[in-house]
Amino acid sequence: MFLCVVRNTALVGIQTISSAKMPSSVKQEPPSEKNPGGSSVPELRVFVRKKRVKKTLEVIAKEVKEESSGRNLVGLPDIEDFAYSKDITRSQSTHAKTLRLTGEKSLSQSTQTEIKGFSLSDPLQPPSNWEKVLEGIRKMRSAEDAPVDSMGCEKAGSFLPAKERRFAGTDSVILFVLIEDLLPTGAIQRLLQNGLLAADAIDSANEETIKSLIYPVGFYTRKASNLKKVAKICLSKYDGDIPSSLEELLLLPGIGPKMAHLVMNVAWENVQGICVDTHVHRISNRLGWVSRPGTKQKTRTPEETRESLQLWLPKEEWVPINPLLVGFGQTICTPLRPRCAICAVSDLCPSAFKEAASPSSTPKK
DNA sequence: GTCCGGGAGT
DNA sequence: ACTCCAGGAC
């Protein structure tokens, strides 16, 4: 419920200080269910920043309400109903964390005193023309076949026999959780041939064996080791299955925000957030779709991008945006020398033709 | 910010 | 021959 960013509800940015730790009393419960009941619990977001004026939550609530009137925001909860929860993030390099206020829980006294010093920022507006841009990218993507289309982990199911295809089952998920890029290398087929697609098999297998089977997947040593650890955890805590909540996934070694959201999206079909990888991060910034909270600066980490993107991108797009932009990033909007000349949305892109296009003309200083 | 361990691109 | 890649741990 916390995690459900409901469109067309209030979305107000507030900036504040508070560095801190959320008391466990308001710790959010695992998002076990998608949308129990009504999905229209009004939700606000608060950006936590350094410094700022001292204000109580009540003051903020009042400001939010005032700010919201005449700003096309709807459905604000009453202040006494406010609760907050820490957003799911592991971003360490960002000073800003997103908090959410909902009408579901009440705020404890200690919590209230802990959060002080808020100021309002503008409600977030979706970037202009984002729908056109998205449509343009879709067109380009349908024409060109990017690697992600045949080897993306969303497609992992088609590689596997029926049993292993059950994403929510006990088998293959663990693998592509950890070794997403094992598909193009044929690693998953090799593991399959060796009966190593289940937690118990992996747990009892030799780490060196796994290592050699998944080679030449990137970071194979670490991945083999993580795979063993995860298999053990899954066996002991999840009956050989994988955890079904974002928080629990993040506790697994080798699982960070990108993979955790990917797994929630494709394995559990329970969308908690956008899976932001380097492509989504880069392209979102080039398009001017994201920014550091309260600024126009580029986001510095994928986590910041995810938070920024989630503030305005309609939830229906949260899952498809990843393969869409990944493919676009592999074929056209490449990290180095983006092919703006053949890009259908270059006229809508603030970064078009702004990066070096020729190998010989990259003088380094 | 650095490291990991190779592959791919220039 | 050299640079860059990519997600996560630290």
Side-chain angles (χ1 to χ4, degrees), chain A residues 140-151:
Chain A
M140 289 184 271
R141 292 281 285 106
S142 60
E144 198 149 355
D145 237 15
V148 69
D149 296 323
S150 53
M151 311 186 300

Side-chain angles (χ1 to χ4, degrees), chain A residues 29-282:
Chain A
E29 55 248 272
S32 41
E33 313 194 54
K34 284 192 189 178
N35 257 349
S39 60
S40 53
V41 175
E43 184 174 281
L44 304 174
R45 292 187 178 232
V46 182
F47 298 117
V48 187
R49 298 198 120 201
K50 297 206 160 189
K51 69 183 166 219
R52 289 305 176 180
V53 243
K54 282 192 151 193
K55 288 177 194 171
T56 64
L57 197 66
E58 284 78 5
V59 174
I60 293 159
K62 228 166 273 174
E63 288 181 352
V64 167
K65 287 193 171 185
E66 285 162 15
E67 195 76 4
S68 67
S69 65
R71 285 237 203 171
N72 214 17
L73 300 173
V74 293
L76 293 175
D78 290 334
I79 51 173
E80 57 269 21
D81 292 335
F82 275 37
Y84 79 103
S85 71
K86 191 170 147 192
D87 195 11
I88 306 301
T89 175
R90 275 185 157 191
S91 170
Q92 293 166 353
S93 55
T94 174
H95 322 293
K97 288 199 161 74
T98 304
L99 301 184
R100 300 177 186 185
L101 304 178
T102 75
E104 284 200 283
K105 288 182 164 181
S106 57
L107 202 62
S108 73
Q109 227 20 65
S110 62
T111 300
Q112 289 188 30
T113 54
E114 188 164 332
I115 315 186
K116 41 191 161 184
F118 290 75
S119 73
L120 282 174
S121 71
D122 285 335
L124 286 125
Q125 298 290 342
S128 57
N129 288 322
W130 69 269
E131 283 161 304
K132 275 190 199 166
V133 172
L134 213 54
E135 191 49 42
I137 295 176
R138 270 194 214 105
K139 286 211 177 98
M140 289 184 271
R141 292 281 285 106
S142 60
E144 198 149 355
D145 237 15
V148 69
D149 296 323
S150 53
M151 311 186 300
C153 89
E154 285 86 349
K155 307 290 183 291
S158 58
F159 277 67
L160 300 168
K163 184 171 177 246
E164 281 78 9
R165 202 179 301 146
R166 290 176 300 107
F167 285 176
T170 61
D171 297 324
S172 61
V173 190
I174 297 174
L175 291 170
F176 63 73
V177 160
L178 284 161
I179 330 175
E180 186 190 13
D181 48 346
L182 81 189
L183 286 157
T185 66
I188 201 165
Q189 292 89 339
R190 287 193 296 279
L191 285 164
L192 179 61
Q193 285 162 10
N194 287 272
L196 289 175
L197 284 188
D200 51 357
I202 291 169
D203 182 46
S204 46
N206 181 299
E207 188 170 318
E208 287 302 315
T209 307
I210 295 171
K211 194 170 152 185
S212 63
L213 285 173
I214 64 176
Y215 178 90
V217 155
F219 313 133
Y220 57 90
T221 307
R222 185 166 302 272
K223 279 174 180 171
S225 141
N226 284 340
L227 199 46
K228 291 275 295 178
K229 288 180 193 155
V230 168
K232 197 171 275 298
I233 294 169
C234 287
L235 276 177
S236 65
K237 288 180 66 179
Y238 304 104
D239 193 30
D241 208 335
I242 59 167
S244 59
S245 77
L246 203 53
E247 297 87 339
E248 291 170 295
L249 285 167
L250 288 169
L251 292 175
L252 302 177
I255 304 296
K258 186 232 166 191
M259 288 312 291
H261 282 105
L262 184 66
V263 170
M264 290 307 292
N265 293 350
V266 309
W268 295 108
E269 294 177 37
N270 177 359
V271 181
Q272 304 291 319
I274 299 171
C275 172
V276 174
D277 62 12
T278 183
H279 298 284
V280 176
H281 177 56
R282 174 182 72 254

